[in-house]
Amino acid sequence: MNRTSATAEEPFSILEADGKAGRDKDPNLTPELLKRLYEVMVTTRVLDERALALQRQGRIGFYLQALGQEASHVGAAAALRDSDWLFPAYRQPGIPLLRRVPLDDIVNEWFGNDGDICKGRQMPVHYSFRQANFVSISSPIGTQISHAAGAGMAARIRGDDTVFMAFFGDGGTSSNDFHCGLNFAGVFKAPVVFVCENNQWAISVPLAQQTASASIAITASSYGMPGVRVDGNDVLAVYRVCKEAVERARKGEGPTLVETVTYRMASHSSSDDAARYRDAKIHDEWKERDPIARFQRYLHKKKLWTEDWELEIHERARHEIHEAVKRAEALPRPSLDSLFEGVFMNLTPQLVEQRAELLALKGPESEELGHFPL
Amino acid sequence: MNRTSATAEEPFSILEADGKAGRDKDPNLTPELLKRLYEVMVTTRVLDERALALQRQGRIGFYLQALGQEASHVGAAAALRDSDWLFPAYRQPGIPLLRRVPLDDIVNEWFGNDGDICKGRQMPVHYSFRQANFVSISSPIGTQISHAAGAGMAARIRGDDTVFMAFFGDGGTSSNDFHCGLNFAGVFKAPVVFVCENNQWAISVPLAQQTASASIAITASSYGMPGVRVDGNDVLAVYRVCKEAVERARKGEGPTLVETVTYRMASHSSSDDAARYRDAKIHDEWKERDPIARFQRYLHKKKLWTEDWELEIHERARHEIHEAVKRAEALPRPSLDSLFEGVFMNLTPQLVEQRAELLALKGPESEELGHFPL
Amino acid sequence: MTTMTLLEAVTDALRTEMRNDDRVVVFGEDVGRKGGVFLATQGLQDEFGAERCFDTPLSECGIVGTAIGMALYGIRPVAEIQFLDFIYPAFDQIVSEAAKMRYRSGGEYTCPLVIRSPYGGGIRGGHYHSQSSEAYFCHTPGLKVVIPSTPADTKGLLIAAIRDEDPVIFLEPKRIYRTAKGDVPEGEHVVPLGKGRVVREGTDVTVVAYGAMVAICEKAADEAQKRGRSIEIIDPRTLVPLDEPLILESVKKTGRCVVVFEAPRTCSYGSEIAAIVAEKAIGHLEGPVVRVGGFDTPFPYSLEHLYMPDVRRVLLGIEKTFNW
Amino acid sequence: MTTMTLLEAVTDALRTEMRNDDRVVVFGEDVGRKGGVFLATQGLQDEFGAERCFDTPLSECGIVGTAIGMALYGIRPVAEIQFLDFIYPAFDQIVSEAAKMRYRSGGEYTCPLVIRSPYGGGIRGGHYHSQSSEAYFCHTPGLKVVIPSTPADTKGLLIAAIRDEDPVIFLEPKRIYRTAKGDVPEGEHVVPLGKGRVVREGTDVTVVAYGAMVAICEKAADEAQKRGRSIEIIDPRTLVPLDEPLILESVKKTGRCVVVFEAPRTCSYGSEIAAIVAEKAIGHLEGPVVRVGGFDTPFPYSLEHLYMPDVRRVLLGIEKTFNW
Ligand SMILES: Cc1ncc(C[n+]2csc(CCOP(=O)(O)OP(=O)(O)O)c2C)c(N)n1
Ligand SMILES: Cc1ncc(C[n+]2csc(CCOP(=O)(O)OP(=O)(O)O)c2C)c(N)n1
Ligand SMILES: [Mg+2]
Ligand SMILES: [Mg+2]
């Protein structure tokens, strides 16, 4: 009578080592979409590299890479319509690119300058892109999960057919909001696709210390929704699985939990050194499964990839980022006034008074600050 | 590739309608234990009735019955040794009786008088019985779940073989602490038995609005532990399932989630009227499965039950409660001084000052208070 | 005008705004079929259907988290937390998300939502059904905090809160849910956030009080009057943003200030009022600024009537501003 | 005596108590193998094993909830919250459970545990890695709140906190983790909770400051000295319970008081100090009690250096107590 714990099923995958698609599995996407996915993934990698370099040069304060996870989030988000909403975590830099957010909007955020949409309020990579239905990112892990559930509930109440996609990591599954967010979504049949990018690590904590569950996907049954494990380094597989989940959601059949099985190739962030706690061997194994190289072989086989094109993507990305960085560095900090704006829609009398206090100060501003996280 | 949600398995049960035990299922408990379980269950019911009557007469401020759930919690707790710890919710009144807590300690708590162990700090039924390893109950739903996990972790660290049992309701499974408590217990293999008394309702919210999961037990796999569904109105089944879980825990094999499927026969509390939101028909169906009547038939068959004995239990319970109430009502309120004691181990200077302020007051105390919850 | 209780005014406000704006939805634990444990949402599910007035699972974290998601998407959530004592599982969502959404996104995303919750002592609810934790929310930039003390203000302020473009914590003094009765305008009635109310005029001492403490202070003022003290009572109604001028002008007139509140004293809203007065009206003060509040202990059950400020304690506080 | 940084003093205190009492266990996110994101627990897992220094899943609620369970069972948990900004998922466990356990159970069950967390601004951490939320904990009866400002105090207070029979929130000013250096006694070193420290004596103004603000105030005091103002600086060290006499006597001597802190102003600990002074030293005040704190906005990233009190703002605050 004891229901013992389930074992993890193999992640669904399509792309084989040699670049072929598994029998009967190829979603047969249009060449345009295939090329677009590839371009975004490569550009994402270039962007990530450049940003980390800027951090190492002391030009921006912090950065967080998605190295190795490009297929996982780009493939998922590509399953949506542009009118669908995203509730991202901080490790999906490819999504703004996919949604054609201007590079300047991305780069200005790193610098927290006067051109930053967020007015320099948050650390780098905590984007907000309303035009792209990309909801403001915050640092506390997991909180966006119940937001997505709520937005989905709202769309149902309004009778809209918008679909919502929330991203979070394996660490995020331990959060309060994972539990209540999936629970509410299940009970209210919210049109949400929950994408857990299981990259095996939460900073220095490995998956086995995060949960005793055999997989993330099986936790879906706690919430009465389907759970799917998919190879997160296989952009076609991720796309296909998410497409099905999106369709279900749009038809009013409720939420899905998708676990993309992948690996965090970089350190957690620019402040972290994974060599302190992580085995290099496993790292090398995952390198073999690089999502860009795998997808490249597939495109190559389909005659959609050439070396020239590859070079072109790299060149364009480097150039455009370079230009955007140049413009960003020329911009000043947000104005002192801006410090008090947007706490509420209107300034309160108290904030007006506090602003006056600050404006009245004379003498040089002191700036003996430390570095993150020291 | 979509893992669709599991369906609920039938709860394990032993007692059949006619009082027989299912084939090969009878745990063959000693007559002493069988009689003790019955006596505690019946006494619990008498206690509950008396307390509610006191509340209706305006002699105590609040009460919460366990009508219909006597087998579920008494059977579970009976699987423990006295040295094992309990982290109860508010609907397990039979456990203090099982652990032979003096009636005066129970009754004084209802009155919040000077004899109350808790010094009148909490509403009725929020007991604490250190002597019985029965940890202080609080009102916020679910918080005790992670306490039990932590105590279990501590015992493992110390190398003790204590086992811990936490109780909570179906509503409690939606709490933050259900998720993190079971998660930590799973990861650290804490020797804990989590008992969810699924009585189908959380005040006026039915199970289907609480979770879309097919059952509570299947959520165990999210935490890498076994989950068991058991007939909560069948004291032998509950005992047997919990006994196995306790053994597993004691052997270092980790936690178990037990779902006792039962029904809240009474209104939520003395402040509630379930007729406002609940169908009487289902109620009647559950009445057929009354846990005391079912167990009585079994004992009767085993020649362990007589009408005289039944009367004797009732008489004794009524009499002893009556006497305890008489004594409790004769006791004064806790002293004014006590208001400031126990915030910390020692009074702080601030509390000494605040106490002096209160002691210096002259004139009659005002007492125009409302009733709970109005 | 209709005479109603404070509790009825809550329902009236919700009904009025649900009729007025179909984006308004009401939800929480037991608010649907049962109509709430205090019956504040009674009748709403019948009138507006289960899509707009519904029960949730037992998770305050989920209630507030999903409310934020709804507000982001553009509807107007009014979430009930059954007792303020149970709001803490949602604290992260309130403090880290609702309060900061507009600021952190440079105004791209906003959180117009209302969290309603009964608060305060006086109903024999003991430890966990009696607390006054307004200070936590007042200390959090980005939240507005509102506490009414009369039925008319309840309706007007709750409607204003629902229409506000920012998150509002709306705390209802449950002790006077049924005892506070008064005339309430029918239909539309808005009391703007940020404006306090002079409950009664006086010349000798300014007493600042809100929620259930206002009525206690009125009784104390009657008593004080008999002893020749003229008391001015100010009810700020909105704790954040505060109507500072109203309080400061009064204190400048009377030269004395007592703040009355139920919460534990340390870092309370009473401390805040005292600090403002000590910073901005020091030249006019003729005595100490006195806080009459709860004690720095958890909330008790049996001795509740001693824990909460009563007429005796308010009078003693008033006297302290003269004799110190 | 050894010279060490404030951060090293944290590690030293933990190591000392773990050697001294085998009931002490240290855990949290990334505290084990990695030694914490600030490396405060570096070396502990090597010395004491993974049973006594271990990583947890990413759940502050679970960290504190299980810490309470451990404390109930009789071991001595020292839990790390990676940044104070991330403590809110555990707020219910802290406020409803740890703080109230002793009181609600009539003393039957107690919660001797320590929650350590880096707090405050100054490391370019922006919105969510910079907040100072001590007031929430100070407002909660049943919690002790400790904030050191020197390496020696850090060690002595942390050891005292671990030995204390009640729950202690121990906040570490991360901005000065590596910049504050000083002599620290080796081995046993206990600084009793509830006793403040006179950082420097002076006659004209009392400045109350804690954490990273103490050093800023010392610089400001040097500046003020040049302008002929003699500043007395008091570091309360323990915010709850507070060493009130130390502050009140100083204010009675100087007649002026400025409180310096990083948190938003409303309902802050700065407001509390101001309220105490306005209540108990009013007759000695020669000027307003001035709060120099963070602003009532969320914490910014790019303008962090303007948000936090600096020497300029402390000096302005001091001047306000003279010219008002
Ligand atoms: C509530 C909370 N606790 C702690 C942190 C600190 N922190 C930042 S990222 C992180 C690990 C997240 O791991 P995971 O969810 O797996 O995402 P990944 O970084 O692997 O993409 C932690 C602990 C935080 N941001 N929020
Ligand atoms: C955190 C929290 N939220 C709300 C409440 C109010 N409340 C008290 S009991 C209850 C229902 C609990 O249902 P369940 O867990 O199924 O236990 P049962 O009463 O059925 O035994 C609610 C909502 C509470 N006590 N704590
Ligand atoms: Mg991860
Ligand atoms: Mg239930």
Side-chain angles (χ1 to χ4, degrees):
Chain A
M1 80 219 178
N2 265 31
R3 218 184 154 280
T4 43
S5 1
T7 49
E9 63 192 309
E10 272 303 298
F12 173 75
S13 79
I14 294 179
L15 290 172
E16 292 174 0
D18 60 0
K20 268 197 253 141
R23 255 165 81 83
D24 303 331
K25 284 181 175 174
D26 195 324
N28 294 313
L29 305 185
T30 63
E32 290 70 40
L33 180 55
L34 289 170
K35 290 188 70 176
R36 174 96 188 113
L37 289 175
Y38 186 75
E39 192 178 332
V40 169
M41 285 166 62
V42 172
T43 308
T44 301
R45 188 163 288 183
V46 176
L47 186 88
D48 253 11
E49 275 163 11
R50 285 297 305 139
L52 191 71
L54 288 171
Q55 196 281 334
R56 294 294 183 232
Q57 294 157 15
R59 291 157 76 190
I60 64 173
F62 175 79
Y63 195 73
L64 240 148
Q65 292 181 282
L67 190 66
Q69 298 181 217
E70 295 88 351
S72 163
H73 63 278
V74 173
L80 296 168
R81 297 183 188 157
D82 279 353
S83 52
D84 294 333
W85 283 43
L86 293 146
F87 288 83
Y90 48 70
R91 215 183 283 285
Q92 293 81 37
I95 297 182
L97 298 177
L98 184 74
R99 290 251 166 146
R100 303 184 194 279
V101 169
L103 259 184
D104 286 88
D105 287 348
I106 294 172
V107 172
N108 284 336
E109 200 274 345
W110 301 345
F111 285 90
N113 60 24
D114 200 36
D116 172 17
I117 289 173
C118 301
K119 299 186 181 153
R121 269 91 183 243
Q122 294 208 75
M123 292 177 78
V125 312
H126 291 68
Y127 310 113
S128 172
F129 301 119
R130 171 133 205 140
Q131 291 303 322
N133 291 322
F134 180 103
V135 177
S136 164
I137 300 171
S138 71
S139 308
I141 298 293
T143 47
Q144 73 279 13
I145 303 175
S146 51
H147 300 172
M153 289 162 68
R156 277 206 98 190
I157 292 170
R158 302 298 286 175
D160 301 348
D161 71 350
T162 317
V163 172
F164 303 82
M165 188 177 277
F167 287 87
F168 47 92
D170 43 313
T173 64
S174 295
S175 69
N176 294 341
D177 287 289
F178 174 80
H179 186 53
C180 68
L182 271 72
N183 188 28
F184 275 57
V187 167
F188 295 104
K189 287 203 146 203
V192 184
V193 181
F194 297 100
V195 180
C196 176
E197 291 197 69
N198 176 2
N199 65 5
Q200 318 296 326
W201 293 87
I203 308 186
S204 72
V205 180
L207 187 64
Q209 282 282 107
Q210 194 66 247
T211 174
S213 177
S215 80
I216 305 295
I218 65 168
T219 69
S221 68
S222 292
Y223 310 105
M225 63 177 84
V228 197
R229 273 194 115 201
V230 60
D231 180 340
N233 288 17
D234 177 342
V235 67
L236 295 185
V238 174
Y239 178 86
R240 194 177 138 176
V241 160
C242 287
K243 192 82 187 169
E244 287 184 20
V246 168
E247 297 308 312
R248 284 191 67 246
R250 205 176 315 276
K251 280 189 286 185
E253 290 170 14
T256 305
L257 172 61
V258 175
E259 173 188 5
T260 67
V261 181
T262 180
Y263 191 77
R264 192 193 78 208
M265 296 298 289
S267 286
H268 169 71
S269 75
S270 55
S271 316
D272 181 43
D273 174 12
R276 287 182 71 91
Y277 52 81
R278 220 163 57 161
D279 189 351
K281 226 175 58 209
I282 298 167
H283 187 277
D284 293 342
E285 285 169 27
W286 279 92
K287 212 165 174 165
E288 293 295 300
R289 288 137 89 175
D290 183 275
I292 292 183
R294 270 170 81 185
F295 191 30
Q296 194 192 86
R297 284 193 288 276
Y298 171 84
L299 293 178
H300 195 45
K301 270 222 153 56
K302 289 222 163 185
K303 306 225 177 332
L304 290 169
W305 181 90
T306 65
E307 212 147 316
D308 281 354
W309 181 49
E310 180 83 24
L311 255 165
E312 191 191 312
I313 302 175
H314 281 263
E315 281 308 305
R316 187 170 49 239
R318 279 211 205 92
H319 176 72
E320 286 177 1
I321 294 166
H322 181 76
E323 294 297 308
V325 167
K326 240 178 24 195
R327 287 190 292 274
E329 285 191 315
L331 285 178
R333 278 207 182 108
S335 74
L336 187 154
D337 265 49
S338 76
L339 192 55
F340 300 91
E341 283 158 15
V343 181
F344 298 109
M345 185 167 83
N346 301 308
L347 284 181
T348 61
Q350 283 75 15
L351 288 168
V352 170
E353 188 182 314
Q354 293 176 17
R355 183 180 60 182
E357 213 178 275
L358 186 58
L359 286 165
L361 282 183
K362 283 171 198 74
E365 298 171 1
S366 72
E367 277 208 63
E368 313 148 33
L369 301 176
H371 291 290
F372 184 85
L374 276 189
Chain B
M1 80 218 178
N2 266 29
R3 220 184 153 278
T4 44
S5 2
T7 47
E9 64 191 309
E10 271 303 296
F12 173 75
S13 79
I14 294 178
L15 290 172
E16 294 174 0
D18 61 0
K20 267 197 247 132
R23 256 165 79 85
D24 303 329
K25 285 181 173 174
D26 194 324
N28 295 313
L29 305 185
T30 63
E32 290 69 38
L33 179 53
L34 289 170
K35 290 189 71 175
R36 173 98 186 109
L37 290 174
Y38 186 77
E39 192 177 333
V40 169
M41 286 166 62
V42 171
T43 307
T44 301
R45 188 162 289 183
V46 175
L47 186 87
D48 254 10
E49 274 162 12
R50 284 300 303 141
L52 190 71
L54 288 170
Q55 195 281 333
R56 294 296 184 229
Q57 293 158 15
R59 290 156 77 187
I60 64 174
F62 175 79
Y63 195 73
L64 239 151
Q65 290 181 283
L67 190 66
Q69 299 181 216
E70 295 87 353
S72 162
H73 64 278
V74 173
L80 296 168
R81 297 183 186 156
D82 278 353
S83 53
D84 294 333
W85 284 42
L86 292 146
F87 288 82
Y90 48 70
R91 215 183 285 283
Q92 292 82 37
I95 298 181
L97 299 177
L98 184 75
R99 290 251 165 146
R100 301 184 197 280
V101 168
L103 259 184
D104 287 271
D105 288 347
I106 295 171
V107 172
N108 284 336
E109 200 274 344
W110 302 345
F111 286 90
N113 61 25
D114 200 36
D116 172 18
I117 288 172
C118 300
K119 298 187 183 155
R121 268 92 183 241
Q122 294 209 75
M123 290 177 80
V125 311
H126 292 69
Y127 310 111
S128 171
F129 301 120
R130 172 135 204 136
Q131 291 303 323
N133 291 321
F134 180 103
V135 178
S136 165
I137 300 171
S138 70
S139 308
I141 297 295
T143 47
Q144 72 281 9
I145 302 175
S146 52
H147 300 172
M153 289 162 68
R156 277 206 97 188
I157 293 169
R158 303 298 285 175
D160 300 346
D161 71 350
T162 318
V163 173
F164 303 82
M165 187 176 277
F167 287 87
F168 47 93
D170 43 313
T173 63
S174 295
S175 69
N176 294 340
D177 287 289
F178 174 80
H179 186 52
C180 68
L182 270 72
N183 188 30
F184 276 56
V187 167
F188 295 103
K189 285 203 150 202
V192 184
V193 181
F194 297 101
V195 180
C196 176
E197 292 196 70
N198 176 2
N199 65 5
Q200 319 295 328
W201 292 88
I203 310 187
S204 73
V205 180
L207 186 64
Q209 282 283 106
Q210 194 66 245
T211 174
S213 177
S215 80
I216 304 295
I218 65 169
T219 69
S221 68
S222 293
Y223 311 105
M225 64 177 82
V228 197
R229 274 194 116 201
V230 58
D231 181 340
N233 288 16
D234 177 341
V235 68
L236 295 185
V238 173
Y239 178 87
R240 196 177 135 180
V241 162
C242 288
K243 193 83 190 170
E244 286 182 24
V246 167
E247 296 310 313
R248 284 190 68 244
R250 205 176 316 276
K251 279 189 285 185
E253 292 169 14
T256 305
L257 172 61
V258 175
E259 173 188 5
T260 66
V261 181
T262 180
Y263 192 78
R264 192 193 80 207
M265 296 298 287
S267 286
H268 170 70
S269 75
S270 55
S271 315
D272 181 42
D273 174 12
R276 287 182 71 90
Y277 52 80
R278 220 165 54 165
D279 187 352
K281 226 174 62 209
I282 299 169
H283 186 278
D284 292 342
E285 285 169 26
W286 279 93
K287 210 163 174 166
E288 293 295 298
R289 288 135 88 177
D290 183 275
I292 292 182
R294 270 170 80 185
F295 191 32
Q296 191 192 90
R297 285 192 288 275
Y298 171 86
L299 295 178
H300 194 46
K301 272 220 154 56
K302 288 223 166 184
K303 304 223 176 340
L304 290 169
W305 180 88
T306 64
E307 211 146 319
D308 280 355
W309 183 48
E310 180 82 26
L311 254 165
E312 191 191 311
I313 302 174
H314 280 263
E315 281 307 303
R316 187 168 51 238
R318 279 211 204 91
H319 175 73
E320 286 177 1
I321 296 166
H322 180 77
E323 294 297 309
V325 167
K326 240 176 29 191
R327 287 189 294 274
E329 286 191 312
L331 286 177
R333 280 211 180 103
S335 74
L336 186 153
D337 265 50
S338 75
L339 191 56
F340 300 91
E341 285 159 14
V343 181
F344 299 109
M345 187 168 81
N346 300 310
L347 283 183
T348 62
Q350 283 75 13
L351 288 169
V352 170
E353 189 183 313
Q354 292 176 18
R355 182 180 60 182
E357 212 178 276
L358 186 58
L359 286 165
L361 283 181
K362 284 172 196 75
E365 299 169 2
S366 71
E367 276 208 65
E368 312 148 32
L369 301 177
H371 291 289
F372 184 87
L374 277 187
Chain C
M1 292 283 184
T2 327
T3 304
M4 49 177 93
T5 64
L6 199 149
L7 184 60
E8 287 162 347
V10 170
T11 319
D12 191 28
L14 294 172
R15 196 188 302 114
T16 303
E17 275 307 276
M18 289 179 86
R19 285 182 186 166
N20 178 55
D21 180 351
D22 71 2
R23 296 172 308 165
V24 177
V25 295
V26 168
F27 55 95
E29 295 156 14
D30 306 293
V31 304
R33 193 103 76 96
K34 182 175 162 87
V37 294
F38 289 99
L39 306 183
T41 53
Q42 210 178 359
L44 299 181
Q45 190 174 74
D46 283 344
E47 180 170 349
F48 302 100
E51 292 249 292
R52 292 186 60 205
C53 175
F54 55 88
D55 292 325
T56 66
L58 206 166
S59 167
E60 290 72 17
C61 186
I63 291 171
V64 177
T66 57
I68 292 171
M70 292 181 210
L72 290 170
Y73 189 71
I75 71 172
R76 293 278 169 156
V78 181
E80 175 176 305
I81 298 295
Q82 200 161 88
F83 286 85
L84 188 57
D85 314 64
F86 302 137
I87 202 167
Y88 306 124
F91 205 68
D92 188 41
Q93 282 290 353
I94 297 172
V95 164
S96 302
E97 298 294 324
K100 295 180 173 60
M101 187 62 75
R102 181 190 288 277
Y103 195 76
R104 79 171 189 230
S105 69
E108 284 213 317
Y109 288 95
T110 63
C111 262
L113 58 82
V114 177
I115 299 174
R116 292 178 41 242
S117 189
Y119 92 105
I123 63 153
R124 304 185 193 272
H127 225 56
Y128 291 109
H129 299 85
S130 307
Q131 294 169 75
S132 298
S133 38
E134 64 275 13
Y136 295 138
F137 306 103
C138 295
H139 184 55
T140 307
L143 299 178
K144 294 184 178 174
V145 182
V146 177
I147 300 184
S149 70
T150 69
D153 279 358
T154 298
K155 177 168 180 183
L157 290 164
L158 183 48
I159 290 180
I162 296 173
R163 296 187 184 177
D164 201 87
E165 294 297 328
D166 289 300
V168 179
I169 309 291
F170 191 89
L171 304 181
E172 300 163 5
K174 60 172 121 54
R175 180 188 192 169
I176 57 170
Y177 256 160
R178 294 190 211 273
T179 54
K181 291 196 185 81
D183 282 345
V184 175
E186 277 160 62
E188 289 252 337
H189 169 56
V190 179
V191 174
L193 305 189
K195 290 276 161 252
R197 174 172 76 97
V198 179
V199 178
R200 78 163 67 181
E201 294 189 14
T203 53
D204 298 339
V205 184
T206 300
V207 171
V208 179
Y210 48 89
M213 290 296 104
V214 173
I216 306 281
C217 291
E218 291 194 71
K219 280 191 209 151
D222 290 340
E223 278 303 310
Q225 190 73 50
K226 292 183 199 152
R227 305 182 199 173
R229 308 277 194 216
S230 162
I231 311 299
E232 178 145 309
I233 302 177
I234 306 235
D235 172 5
R237 300 196 290 200
T238 306
L239 273 53
V240 177
L242 176 65
D243 189 349
E244 268 187 43
L246 192 71
I247 292 170
L248 291 174
E249 261 146 54
S250 174
V251 173
K252 285 177 187 170
K253 178 176 78 178
T254 62
R256 293 187 164 84
C257 183
V258 176
V259 204
V260 184
F261 54 95
E262 297 180 44
R265 202 161 301 191
T266 303
C267 288
S268 62
Y269 197 74
S271 304
E272 178 58 26
I273 297 285
I276 291 171
V277 169
E279 198 158 335
K280 299 187 175 167
I282 192 86
H284 302 81
L285 280 178
E286 289 164 39
V289 186
V290 174
R291 289 172 292 167
V292 176
F295 299 109
D296 283 318
T297 77
F299 201 99
Y301 174 66
S302 299
L303 299 181
E304 166 174 40
H305 61 295
L306 295 177
Y307 181 85
M308 282 187 299
D310 59 5
V311 171
R312 294 187 304 166
R313 282 176 58 205
V314 177
L315 285 172
L316 189 70
I318 290 171
E319 277 316 299
K320 274 197 204 155
T321 65
F322 291 93
N323 307 307
W324 42 287
Chain D
M1 290 284 182
T2 325
T3 304
M4 48 177 95
T5 63
L6 197 149
L7 184 60
E8 288 162 347
V10 170
T11 319
D12 190 29
L14 294 173
R15 195 188 302 113
T16 304
E17 274 310 273
M18 288 178 87
R19 285 181 187 165
N20 178 53
D21 181 350
D22 70 3
R23 296 172 309 164
V24 177
V25 295
V26 167
F27 55 95
E29 296 156 13
D30 306 292
V31 304
R33 193 102 76 94
K34 182 175 163 88
V37 294
F38 290 98
L39 307 182
T41 54
Q42 212 178 357
L44 299 181
Q45 191 175 74
D46 283 345
E47 180 170 348
F48 302 100
E51 291 250 293
R52 291 185 60 203
C53 176
F54 56 88
D55 292 324
T56 65
L58 205 166
S59 167
E60 290 73 15
C61 185
I63 292 171
V64 177
T66 57
I68 292 171
M70 293 181 210
L72 290 170
Y73 190 70
I75 72 173
R76 292 278 171 157
V78 182
E80 175 177 304
I81 299 294
Q82 201 162 84
F83 287 86
L84 188 56
D85 314 66
F86 302 136
I87 202 167
Y88 306 122
F91 204 69
D92 188 41
Q93 281 290 352
I94 297 172
V95 164
S96 302
E97 298 294 325
K100 295 179 173 58
M101 188 64 76
R102 181 189 288 276
Y103 195 76
R104 80 169 190 232
S105 69
E108 285 213 317
Y109 288 95
T110 63
C111 261
L113 58 84
V114 176
I115 300 174
R116 291 179 43 243
S117 189
Y119 92 105
I123 62 153
R124 303 187 194 271
H127 224 57
Y128 291 110
H129 298 85
S130 307
Q131 294 169 76
S132 298
S133 40
E134 65 275 12
Y136 294 139
F137 306 104
C138 294
H139 184 55
T140 308
L143 300 177
K144 294 184 178 174
V145 182
V146 177
I147 300 183
S149 69
T150 69
D153 279 358
T154 298
K155 176 168 180 181
L157 290 165
L158 183 49
I159 291 181
I162 296 172
R163 295 185 185 179
D164 201 87
E165 295 297 331
D166 289 299
V168 180
I169 309 292
F170 191 88
L171 304 181
E172 301 163 5
K174 59 170 125 46
R175 180 187 191 169
I176 57 171
Y177 256 159
R178 294 190 210 274
T179 54
K181 292 196 183 82
D183 282 346
V184 175
E186 277 159 62
E188 288 254 336
H189 170 57
V190 180
V191 175
L193 305 190
K195 290 275 161 251
R197 174 173 77 97
V198 179
V199 177
R200 80 163 66 181
E201 295 191 11
T203 53
D204 297 339
V205 184
T206 301
V207 171
V208 179
Y210 49 88
M213 289 297 104
V214 173
I216 305 281
C217 291
E218 290 193 73
K219 281 191 209 151
D222 290 342
E223 278 304 309
Q225 189 74 49
K226 293 183 200 154
R227 304 183 198 172
R229 308 278 193 215
S230 162
I231 311 297
E232 176 145 311
I233 303 178
I234 308 243
D235 172 4
R237 302 196 289 200
T238 307
L239 273 53
V240 176
L242 175 67
D243 190 349
E244 267 187 41
L246 191 71
I247 292 171
L248 290 174
E249 262 146 52
S250 175
V251 174
K252 286 177 187 171
K253 178 177 78 178
T254 62
R256 293 186 164 80
C257 182
V258 175
V259 203
V260 184
F261 54 96
E262 298 180 45
R265 204 163 297 191
T266 302
C267 288
S268 63
Y269 197 72
S271 304
E272 179 59 26
I273 298 284
I276 290 171
V277 169
E279 197 158 335
K280 298 186 174 166
I282 192 85
H284 302 80
L285 280 179
E286 290 163 40
V289 185
V290 175
R291 288 173 292 168
V292 175
F295 299 109
D296 283 318
T297 77
F299 200 98
Y301 175 64
S302 299
L303 300 181
E304 164 174 43
H305 61 294
L306 295 178
Y307 181 86
M308 281 187 301
D310 60 5
V311 171
R312 294 187 305 166
R313 281 176 58 204
V314 176
L315 285 172
L316 188 71
I318 289 171
E319 278 315 298
K320 274 198 205 155
T321 65
F322 290 93
N323 305 308
W324 42 287

